Amino acid sequence: MHNFRYFELVKQRRLLKVMTNYSSPVLPPATIGIIGGGQLGQMMALSAKSMGYKVGVLDPTDKAPAGQVADFQVVADYDDLEALTELANQSDVITYEFENVDQVALKKVKNLTRIPQGIELLTITSHRLREKTFCRHHGLPVTPFASVKTMEDLEAAVKKIGQPGLLKTVEGGYDGHGQFDIDDQTDWTMIENEINQTEWIYELKQNFVRELSIMVTRDGRGRVIAFPVSENRHQHHILHTSIIPAQTSDEVKRKAQSIASHTAEALDLRGVLGIELFELASGELMINELAPRPHNSGHYSIEACNISQFDAHIRSICGLSIPPIRQFEPAVMVNLLGDNLLVARADWPSHPEWHLHDYGKAEVRDSRKMGHITVTGPSIESLLASVSQFR
């Protein structure tokens, strides 16, 4: 048996969960189980706790960020079926904080609890080729792409689609990992050594003017609820700064809202979905990625909106209503990577305007997301100046 607090298997409670009408709301003090114990899980848990829910977490790291604020943590690998069964038996609802959940294991516990987001959402969004194919099938704008398994496939894709392009693994990889630039400077020997190891997708690289994102969900009544559009600035393929509302035209924002609504309906969405977008010089938008959970660029909503993305996520998976989202004033969010957290801690006394979020991770590592700062106010320029030491 795995060592964790708050463990009690009750047959009657399990039967009651299975017999309950799946469409009925899940109300406090029900238990929400979260697969993943990182910062997204932590903020989900804090939101759920504020509403009166109990929270359990599955994560292999003892006292993971989400585990620190939950009622109990199951310390085990994500694909540990026994551990996942323990979490399911204790939870009225299961959710997840990342895409790469073991879908086979999750299917085996689906009759023990509610999984409102379903497993198909993971099947689509955890696999870049399936995700792009889904978008194209539903008329959602994506860059030209092709499946690649061999060097011959890659040569054919480059010839058909053109270059420069990006070769990405279809599964795994994030923040720039698991991908190669394909252009006149490509190291073909390196690619030849890697290409037979897994499946890939080749995408035409787009010359965009800015990166945007939007969070969207559907509430218990099936109504689509979308957040303001965020403008995102990256460094070394990692999100660094988000500006909300995005400094783009109202027409582009309307297009992003339309894409968000269309995507939510096509997925029969429950829970929050993050949609990353490229804005082209023409004003057209293309979907870069879908994230089936709250998104880094939506953290600003905790301080800047009437409902945070984490509140919306919990309400959605529990079948509750969500009011229209209102942003009180402009906001800027900056990620604290590695040692920048230590700088932020030291400077915080001089910046009362900062909303500092420290994720409580045990080890500070370069390029690791250790926390974030959100600032709100009437002037984007002054907000950017407030966090300028982290540029």
Side-chain angles (χ1 to χ4, degrees):
M1 297 296 289
H2 295 279
N3 180 24
F4 61 93
R5 305 183 308 276
Y6 195 80
F7 176 61
E8 182 179 8
L9 297 179
V10 182
K11 289 184 178 179
Q12 291 84 353
R13 183 170 179 266
R14 186 195 310 175
L15 289 171
L16 181 61
K17 286 192 297 181
V18 173
M19 292 169 61
T20 300
N21 183 349
Y22 195 86
S23 64
S24 62
V26 177
L27 300 175
T31 299
I32 298 173
I34 303 173
I35 302 173
Q39 63 267 20
L40 295 177
Q42 183 185 71
M43 287 179 271
M44 285 183 198
L46 289 169
S47 177
K49 292 294 293 178
S50 73
M51 299 179 195
Y53 292 98
K54 292 182 173 60
V55 176
V57 172
L58 171 63
D59 194 275
T61 302
D62 189 25
K63 297 182 177 63
Q68 295 170 25
V69 300
D71 293 277
F72 66 91
Q73 179 180 342
V74 181
V75 181
D77 291 334
Y78 302 123
D79 60 354
D80 187 321
L81 180 57
E82 181 183 355
L84 187 57
T85 300
E86 291 173 356
L87 182 68
N89 275 322
Q90 295 185 83
S91 302
D92 299 279
V93 174
I94 290 284
T95 186
Y96 35 79
E97 69 146 14
F98 58 93
E99 293 89 313
N100 298 311
V101 175
D102 189 310
Q103 296 168 37
V104 174
L106 197 60
K107 287 177 183 177
K108 292 180 179 179
V109 301
K110 67 180 183 179
N111 293 326
L112 301 178
T113 186
R114 299 185 184 192
I115 308 175
Q117 293 158 275
I119 298 171
E120 185 180 4
L121 179 64
L122 286 173
T123 302
I124 294 169
T125 59
S126 65
H127 191 281
R128 291 184 175 92
L129 185 60
R130 285 197 290 264
E131 182 178 279
K132 287 290 193 298
T133 301
F134 169 86
C135 289
R136 185 166 63 186
H137 176 74
H138 287 277
L140 297 163
V142 290
T143 191
F145 64 92
S147 173
V148 171
K149 296 181 180 178
T150 65
M151 285 300 296
E152 290 75 18
D153 290 342
L154 178 58
E155 291 167 3
V158 170
K159 183 176 181 180
K160 179 180 179 180
I161 295 173
Q163 62 178 45
L166 288 170
L167 182 66
K168 303 177 181 178
T169 56
V170 295
E171 295 182 298
Y174 61 95
D175 292 341
H177 300 289
Q179 69 181 46
F180 293 97
D181 288 301
I182 305 296
D183 52 34
D184 294 337
Q185 308 301 315
T186 297
D187 184 343
W188 293 103
T189 301
M190 182 180 294
I191 292 177
E192 286 177 343
N193 293 334
E194 295 281 342
I195 201 160
N196 291 326
Q197 304 300 315
T198 186
E199 185 181 2
W200 304 79
I201 182 174
Y202 178 71
E203 301 176 358
L204 182 65
K205 188 180 290 187
Q206 294 293 331
N207 185 21
F208 55 88
V209 295
R210 60 178 61 84
E211 296 185 44
L212 306 172
S213 63
I214 184 169
M215 309 304 111
V216 65
T217 189
R218 292 166 72 241
D219 71 2
R221 300 179 183 179
R223 297 176 300 188
V224 174
I225 308 292
F227 283 78
V229 181
S230 171
E231 177 180 344
N232 303 318
R233 299 177 182 178
H234 291 70
Q235 291 184 5
H236 309 295
H237 301 286
I238 302 174
L239 178 63
H240 184 275
T241 304
S242 292
I243 300 168
I244 312 94
Q247 296 179 304
T248 187
S249 69
D250 290 341
E251 178 61 23
V252 166
K253 293 174 185 175
R254 283 192 290 270
K255 290 178 182 178
Q257 295 276 344
S258 176
I259 288 171
S261 180
H262 188 173
T263 306
E265 295 288 7
L267 289 168
D268 193 22
L269 184 65
R270 282 293 183 269
V272 164
L273 178 81
I275 306 176
E276 298 179 10
L277 300 157
F278 293 144
E279 179 187 344
L280 309 185
S282 64
E284 295 304 306
L285 296 177
M286 284 192 172
I287 293 175
N288 179 36
E289 288 185 354
L290 304 178
R293 35 76 182 169
H295 191 269
N296 193 175
S297 64
H299 292 346
Y300 74 92
S301 59
I302 297 172
E303 285 83 25
C305 296
N306 60 319
I307 295 289
S308 77
Q309 65 167 342
F310 301 100
D311 295 337
H313 183 81
I314 298 301
R315 289 190 184 207
S316 178
I317 64 172
C318 290
L320 301 174
S321 297
I322 302 173
I325 305 301
R326 292 183 289 111
Q327 183 177 353
F328 300 127
E329 56 185 353
V332 167
M333 187 282 300
V334 61
N335 272 327
L336 298 172
L337 306 178
D339 289 342
N340 274 341
L341 174 64
L342 308 181
V343 174
R345 287 173 178 169
D347 290 352
W348 193 17
S350 301
H351 289 276
E353 75 279 12
W354 287 359
H355 297 278
L356 174 62
H357 294 254
D358 185 333
Y359 303 148
K361 295 184 178 180
E363 182 183 358
V364 175
R365 296 201 301 263
D366 287 345
S367 300
R368 190 184 195 190
K369 294 170 183 172
M370 302 299 301
H372 73 268
I373 291 172
T374 298
V375 285
T376 64
S379 167
I380 292 292
E381 290 73 20
S382 65
L383 299 180
L384 288 170
S386 171
V387 293
S388 60
Q389 62 265 56
F390 302 110
R391 291 181 184 174

